[in-house]
């Protein structure tokens, strides 16, 4: 392996496993420039670790704890407030939905709302069932009306029908 | 694995025991703040992220599984919050701002200024990295998490973690050479 291939291993020395370390140490034994690079890298790494050992300290740990606990308590209260607001909204929503259903179902169930439907059904049923009778009745009615009209034609003008006579005839035909 | 005492605190917190959760906060807030600060480099942002992270932990304690460490879970939440912060306009404005003197309270007062400057420079350099490289660098090299935990937090496989780590280290090294040319030369001697 050439020197540039060992550069990454030198930088990642702490992360190498035993075999990789052995291979690198073997190379360092025979390469002065890599050995110098390894040593300077190790010194920089040690310095960084030394700095890492200096922990940034909180200015006031007690205040931090108090602030965190305050936020937790306030957070819990806010959650409760949110819950109560949500419940209130849910109540209103449920009330609105119930009013909606009562209104529409009420209309559907009202007696006057049902009547036209029943009548329509009866009429449609009678039309379907009494089709022949209906045609017969219609034919009779037409011939009766025609007869009435003929009987009410004026004596002088054949195109003119006596209206009073016709009304009377039609009224009689409806009665019977 | 977590200690039985910590597991008990988590269990009680899941049942809504705020005192138990307070103890968990006290146990982990320093770690949370440290990683948030190393990511953002801004004290106030790191504090806000820490607070938000614990609030999120509290809210989603019901989803917590015993197999995963609470600290790993916390790291995950903080990383997500830090990435959100990076995407915000506020971050773009403060991109190169890193508060110097954040690493105060070191044991050796003589080294204090040097360390503070070094921390500031490293965080500033880390902020210039692409987000995956930054995450991996902060978690592995500054937080010193094992590779498998970095994989768990970032959701990357080991190969991706190592690859990102390599590029991140190269950039950081290059940046440190620019800032502390003499220092690096001295190290190399």
């Amino acid at each position: 392996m050439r020197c540039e291939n060992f550069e990454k291993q030198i930088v990642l020395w702490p992360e190498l496993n035993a075999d990789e370390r052995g291979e690198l140490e073997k190379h360092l034994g025979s390469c002065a420039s890599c050995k110098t690079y390894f040593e300077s890298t190790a010194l920089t790494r040690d310095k960084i670790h030394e700095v890492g050992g200096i922990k940034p300290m909180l200015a006031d740990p007690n205040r931090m704890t108090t602030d965190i606990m305050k936020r937790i308590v306030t957070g819990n209260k806010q959650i409760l407030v949110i819950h109560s607001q949500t419940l209130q909204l849910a109540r209103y929503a449920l009330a609105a939905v119930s009013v909606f259903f009562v209104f529409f179902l009420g209309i559907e169930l009202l007696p006057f709302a049902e009547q036209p439907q029943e009548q329509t059904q009866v009429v449609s049923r009678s039309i379907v069932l009494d089709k022949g009778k209906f045609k017969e009745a219609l034919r009779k009615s037409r011939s009766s009306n025609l007869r009435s009209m003929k009987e009410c034609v004026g004596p002088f003008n054949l195109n003119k029908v006596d209206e009073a006579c016709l009304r009377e005839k039609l009224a009689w035909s409806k009665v019977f | 694995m977590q200690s039985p005492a910590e597991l008990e605190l988590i269990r009680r917190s899941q049942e809504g025991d705020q005192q138990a959760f307070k103890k968990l906060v006290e146990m982990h807030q320093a770690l949370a703040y440290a990683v948030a600060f190393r990511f953002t480099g801004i004290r106030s942002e790191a504090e806000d992220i820490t607070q938000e992270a614990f609030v999120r932990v509290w809210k989603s304690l019901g989803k917590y599984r015993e197999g995963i460490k609470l600290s790993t879970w916390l790291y995950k939440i903080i990383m997500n919050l830090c990435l959100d912060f990076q995407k915000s306009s506020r971050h773009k404005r403060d991109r190169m701002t890193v508060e110097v003197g954040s690493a105060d309270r070191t044991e050796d007062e003589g080294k204090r200024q040097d360390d503070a400057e070094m921390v500031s420079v490293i965080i500033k350099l880390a902020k210039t990295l692409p987000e995956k490289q930054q995450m991996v660098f902060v978690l592995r090299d500054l937080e010193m998490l094992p590779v498998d935990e970095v994989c768990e937090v970032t959701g990357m496989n080991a190969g991706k973690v190592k690859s990102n780590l390599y590029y991140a280290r190269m950039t950081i090294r290059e940046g440190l050479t620019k800032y502390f040319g003499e220092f690096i030369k001295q190290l190399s001697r």
Side-chain angles (χ1 to χ4, degrees):
Chain A
M1 223 192 264
R2 290 159 64 182
C3 291
E4 52 264 36
N5 295 328
F6 283 105
E7 188 192 329
K8 196 167 184 177
Q9 291 195 330
I10 289 170
V11 175
L12 293 174
W13 169 260
E15 287 77 31
L16 298 183
N17 60 36
D19 290 345
E20 289 166 333
R21 284 188 181 195
E23 197 185 348
L24 179 60
E25 276 166 0
K26 199 174 160 188
H27 175 75
L28 294 178
S30 60
C31 181
S33 65
C34 280
K35 196 173 182 187
T36 310
Y37 184 66
F38 177 81
E39 282 166 358
S40 69
T41 305
L43 286 166
T44 314
R45 187 173 54 240
D46 290 348
K47 191 65 196 170
I48 290 170
H49 285 181
E50 197 182 305
V51 167
I54 304 163
K55 292 275 176 195
M57 301 287 279
L58 275 162
D60 189 349
N62 291 332
R63 187 179 56 81
M64 173 61 80
T65 313
T66 313
D67 288 348
I68 291 167
M69 295 314 292
K70 262 186 203 167
R71 281 192 61 187
I72 284 162
V73 173
T74 318
N76 280 351
K77 277 182 187 167
Q78 278 173 348
I79 288 165
L80 286 173
V81 169
I82 289 164
H83 281 186
S84 68
Q85 283 174 346
T86 315
L87 281 173
Q88 193 72 12
L89 281 172
R91 272 186 210 159
Y92 285 131
L94 278 172
V97 168
S98 0
V99 167
F100 178 81
F101 276 109
V102 165
F103 183 73
F104 278 95
L105 287 173
I107 283 178
E108 287 294 314
L109 294 170
L110 279 173
F112 68 79
E114 283 180 3
Q115 272 175 354
Q117 202 180 355
E118 269 185 13
Q119 278 179 345
T120 313
Q121 281 174 347
V122 168
V123 168
S124 64
R125 230 180 267 143
S126 71
I127 287 167
V128 173
L129 293 174
D130 303 334
K131 197 175 172 182
K133 282 185 181 177
F134 179 77
K135 276 186 177 174
E136 182 64 23
L138 189 66
R139 195 182 56 76
K140 276 183 183 174
S141 168
R142 275 181 184 165
S143 60
S144 160
N145 288 349
L146 200 64
R147 207 168 42 241
S148 303
M149 279 180 78
K150 278 180 184 171
E151 285 171 3
C152 292
V153 172
F156 304 106
N157 187 353
L158 292 174
N159 291 328
K160 195 173 178 183
V161 177
D162 182 5
E163 201 179 322
C165 167
L166 187 62
R167 276 178 192 273
E168 195 183 342
K169 294 271 181 194
L170 287 174
W172 275 108
S173 72
K174 274 183 186 173
V175 170
F176 295 103
Chain B
M1 281 299 292
Q2 282 167 136
S3 65
E6 191 176 358
L7 277 174
E8 176 62 17
L9 286 174
I10 294 168
R11 195 191 55 73
R12 278 169 53 200
S13 302
Q14 284 175 323
E15 289 166 2
D17 185 340
Q18 290 183 1
Q19 285 308 309
F21 189 71
K22 190 180 175 184
K23 282 184 183 157
L24 285 174
V25 171
E26 285 166 350
M27 282 163 75
H28 293 284
Q29 66 180 8
L31 172 147
Y33 172 78
V35 70
F37 179 80
R38 283 168 171 166
F39 214 90
T40 62
I42 300 165
R43 216 177 257 273
S44 60
E45 285 299 337
E47 285 180 358
D48 288 351
I49 287 170
T50 308
Q51 276 190 32
E52 184 58 32
F54 279 105
V55 172
R56 286 194 188 185
V57 168
W58 171 256
K59 280 181 183 170
S60 45
L61 265 171
K63 296 176 195 165
Y64 176 76
R65 289 175 290 114
E66 276 190 22
I68 189 169
K69 273 162 71 181
L70 184 67
S71 59
T72 307
W73 195 34
L74 196 55
Y75 274 126
K76 234 179 192 176
I77 293 172
I78 288 168
M79 280 294 130
N80 287 332
L81 288 169
C82 288
L83 292 178
D84 288 346
F85 163 73
Q86 280 202 332
K87 285 169 194 157
S88 71
S89 54
R90 200 169 161 188
H91 163 70
K92 281 164 192 159
R93 196 189 60 207
D94 298 335
R95 191 169 167 80
M96 291 313 291
T97 310
V98 172
E99 291 173 7
V100 182
S102 314
D104 47 12
R105 304 188 185 194
T106 57
E107 286 177 11
D108 185 353
E109 286 296 314
K111 283 172 68 189
R112 184 180 153 174
Q113 285 304 317
D114 288 347
D115 287 342
E117 196 182 352
M118 187 62 115
V119 169
S120 160
V121 169
I122 287 176
I123 291 171
K124 200 183 274 185
L125 288 170
K127 280 178 85 174
T128 65
L129 296 170
E131 64 182 41
K132 282 182 183 172
Q133 289 181 28
Q134 188 185 4
M135 277 200 292
V136 165
F137 176 75
V138 169
L139 294 172
R140 176 75 181 135
D141 280 0
L142 299 180
E143 289 298 312
M144 287 172 242
L145 296 186
V147 175
D148 54 350
E149 201 172 347
V150 177
C151 292
E152 202 164 350
V153 174
T154 58
M156 289 185 238
N157 60 35
K160 282 252 167 95
V161 166
K162 285 179 191 174
S163 174
N164 280 295
L165 199 53
Y166 168 73
Y167 289 112
R169 282 177 184 166
M170 292 299 281
T171 311
I172 298 288
R173 186 190 158 97
E174 201 178 306
L176 282 176
T177 314
K178 276 185 195 165
Y179 274 100
F180 301 105
E182 281 305 309
F183 170 76
I184 296 288
K185 275 178 198 165
Q186 278 172 13
L187 283 179
S188 305
R189 267 175 219 155

